[in-house]
Amino acid sequence: MIFAANFKTNHTRASTKAYIQTLESLAQKVENPIYVFPPLSAIDDFATSKLVVGVQNAYPARNGAFTGEVGVEQLEEFAIKTILIGHSERREILGESQESVAKKFAFFKEQGFTIIYCLGEPLEVRQEGQEALQEYLFAQLEGIDLSYEKLIVAYEPIWAIGTGVSATTADIRATHQLLKKVITQAPLLYGGSAKLDNIKEIADISEVDGVLVGSASLDAHNFFAMIEASR
Ligand code: 13P
């Protein structure tokens, strides 16, 4: 199981540092890498062996005139080689189109980054039925090289994000089966209200290769308890 923590706009520089130290020491016996995505302002050159620290977003350029953005040159200073792309909050709130998401993907692939690529549908689409769901999700894979060896995909139904209500195991299984028809190599994570209470049943779904966790990842001890509970 792959575990990834997306802090979103939570934690400070100081609390991120403490979190990373705590999780690093708790996770000494965990075999798979654990990904942590703090806010950009908290990024540092953390000395970690078990954790991989990545960014939630960056601009697809080495450097240049992109006011307010951070490029590869700034990430290199902290040895960051991992990025989240396509999160629904960036698509919906920040207005990132599939075209710009695909452009970002191509750029960071070219730079050799590990990419956790996110996709997921709003409730209205799911309610329209299977055909609409498939069309919507597959459109979010347009322009994405699914054979990229450093790709991890995360399926995050928007209606399950931050709501406390996870998708049912049947929904997760069915959607992962659908996605795995085209995502044949990359690991496929589930995200959306994954927490200590439901991690075991999510981890037991054979089509789930890991989880991308928001709220329940914010406490290092709670996040580690999820990792333990999944085993
Ligand atoms: P929650 O775990 O808070 O639902 O967030 C999921 C998510 O969006 C992770 O990227």
Side-chain angles (χ1 to χ4, degrees):
M1 277 283 279
I2 296 171
F3 274 80
N6 177 8
F7 288 3
K8 308 187 180 184
T9 315
N10 297 293
H11 275 304
T12 60
R13 189 167 178 74
S15 67
T16 297
K17 192 172 172 205
Y19 181 105
I20 296 219
Q21 281 169 352
T22 303
L23 190 58
E24 172 76 12
S25 66
L26 289 170
Q28 281 307 307
K29 293 208 177 93
V30 177
E31 274 160 29
N32 293 334
I34 301 165
Y35 295 91
V36 180
F37 296 90
L40 270 175
S41 61
I43 293 294
D44 211 333
D45 198 353
F46 298 106
T48 57
S49 61
K50 291 290 165 187
L51 312 184
V52 177
V53 176
V55 286
Q56 299 170 21
N57 180 50
Y59 194 77
R62 274 204 62 73
N63 53 30
F66 308 105
T67 300
E69 297 291 326
V70 162
V72 169
E73 190 175 284
Q74 287 77 39
L75 299 181
E76 273 174 2
E77 193 173 14
F78 303 111
I80 297 292
K81 290 292 277 178
T82 306
I83 187 168
L84 284 182
I85 294 179
H87 194 282
S88 60
E89 286 151 15
R90 296 208 58 87
R91 293 177 191 264
E92 306 260 310
I93 306 170
L94 283 304
E96 287 191 11
S97 65
Q98 184 57 28
E99 197 186 348
S100 66
V101 165
K103 221 169 118 185
K104 204 176 269 189
F105 181 94
F107 177 84
F108 284 99
K109 175 191 152 193
E110 177 69 32
Q111 299 289 320
F113 274 58
T114 296
I115 298 173
I116 299 194
Y117 181 77
C118 308
L119 77 172
E121 82 288 356
L123 191 56
E124 315 83 84
V125 170
R126 176 160 287 268
Q127 285 168 341
E128 276 174 47
Q130 197 60 20
E131 209 172 303
L133 178 67
Q134 172 163 335
E135 194 181 317
Y136 192 92
L137 292 177
F138 285 11
Q140 292 188 330
L141 294 173
E142 260 167 42
I144 305 303
D145 176 6
L146 296 176
S147 67
Y148 179 45
E149 69 276 14
K150 292 184 186 166
L151 168 67
I152 298 170
V153 180
Y155 166 61
E156 300 202 300
I158 297 173
W159 44 276
I161 294 178
T163 58
V165 184
S166 166
T168 64
T169 51
D171 281 342
I172 298 172
R173 184 187 298 279
T175 313
H176 276 227
Q177 279 170 350
L178 171 70
L179 289 170
K180 279 182 179 258
K181 286 184 188 163
V182 290
I183 302 163
T184 53
Q185 295 175 27
L188 182 57
L189 316 184
Y190 167 76
S193 298
K195 52 192 168 190
L196 193 50
D197 284 356
N198 60 20
I199 189 61
K200 183 75 180 109
E201 61 182 47
I202 294 171
D204 283 347
I205 303 169
S206 56
E207 292 84 356
V208 170
D209 304 309
V211 280
L212 176 56
V213 188
S215 327
S217 74
L218 295 178
D219 178 277
H221 287 277
N222 188 66
F223 188 50
F224 183 68
M226 290 176 70
I227 297 172
E228 288 279 89
S230 73
R231 296 203 280 173

